[in-house]
Amino acid sequence: MSLADASEVRKARLLALRKRRAGEAVEGVSEDAEPVIKHRSFDPATRTLKKHTNTHDEDVQMEDTVEHQVDGLAENIIAEDAERRAQDLDLFNIAPKRPNWDLKRELDKKLAKLERKTQESIHTLIRQRLAAQKGQSDDILGAMQAEERAGQAQDSSDEDE
């Protein structure tokens, strides 16, 4: 078989394939013999299987997929992490803002005890003053002042009679 003959055979075969794809009847074959075969998963031109695709959805592109949402996320996280590390290494961020923060931290425990005792002392003094005004005092000064008031009250009542 010569090259010219092989070329003619190949041209005839390709023409027949184009007509089959278009749905036309092939010359030399009667329409009553066999129905036209539509190759849905086989590509006769390349003689390989086609990948499964929907012909109706070819022009619709998926934009809301996870891959599109996550695209570039890793690079952003790496860049932010590098920026944080650069900020953490800054000497002004390492040094405390107030140089006496450790002294305050140590004294807070002691001051809490003193504050509680101070409040107890203030309450005791207020109770003593209130009791002294009513005349019911435990301390000597309060008792003396209460006796003087009571004596003055009796003197004024004796004079009125």
Side-chain angles (χ1 to χ4, degrees):
M1 185 178 219
S2 70
L3 289 174
D5 293 336
S7 172
E8 291 296 324
V9 171
R10 186 168 188 276
K11 284 181 185 178
R13 192 177 79 223
L14 288 173
L15 183 63
L17 286 174
R18 284 188 199 130
K19 287 183 179 180
R20 280 188 206 150
R21 278 193 188 154
E24 299 174 9
V26 179
E27 296 176 7
V29 179
S30 65
E31 293 181 13
D32 299 333
E34 293 181 19
V36 176
I37 298 174
K38 293 187 178 183
H39 302 286
R40 294 187 179 139
S41 61
F42 180 73
D43 186 13
T46 59
R47 298 184 183 252
T48 58
L49 291 176
K50 294 180 184 177
K51 292 183 180 179
H52 179 68
T53 58
N54 289 337
T55 58
H56 302 290
D57 296 337
E58 286 180 1
D59 39 315
V60 177
Q61 293 181 354
M62 296 285 201
E63 294 182 11
D64 294 337
T65 60
V66 177
E67 290 84 11
H68 290 290
Q69 292 174 356
V70 180
D71 189 30
L73 186 65
E75 291 84 14
N76 290 340
I77 292 173
I78 291 170
E80 288 175 6
D81 188 40
E83 185 177 315
R84 278 192 217 127
R85 285 183 184 172
Q87 288 178 355
D88 289 343
L89 292 178
D90 189 13
L91 293 178
F92 291 111
N93 290 338
I94 294 173
K97 293 179 181 176
R98 296 177 304 225
N100 60 354
W101 68 273
D102 57 339
L103 297 175
K104 288 183 180 180
R105 185 189 65 204
E106 295 296 325
L107 289 177
D108 280 342
K109 296 174 188 175
K110 295 176 183 178
L111 285 176
K113 291 178 186 177
L114 288 175
E115 183 68 28
R116 188 179 63 232
K117 289 183 180 183
T118 303
Q119 290 297 325
E120 288 174 5
S121 300
I122 291 172
H123 291 297
T124 304
L125 289 173
I126 291 173
R127 281 190 210 114
Q128 287 176 356
R129 285 184 186 167
L130 289 174
Q133 288 176 355
K134 292 180 182 178
Q136 310 167 359
S137 178
D138 292 338
D139 63 339
I140 298 172
L141 181 62
M144 289 173 51
Q145 289 176 352
E147 285 179 23
E148 288 178 23
R149 286 186 198 136
Q152 289 175 357
Q154 284 180 354
D155 289 340
S156 63
S157 64
D158 289 339
E159 291 176 3
D160 288 338
E161 292 178 4

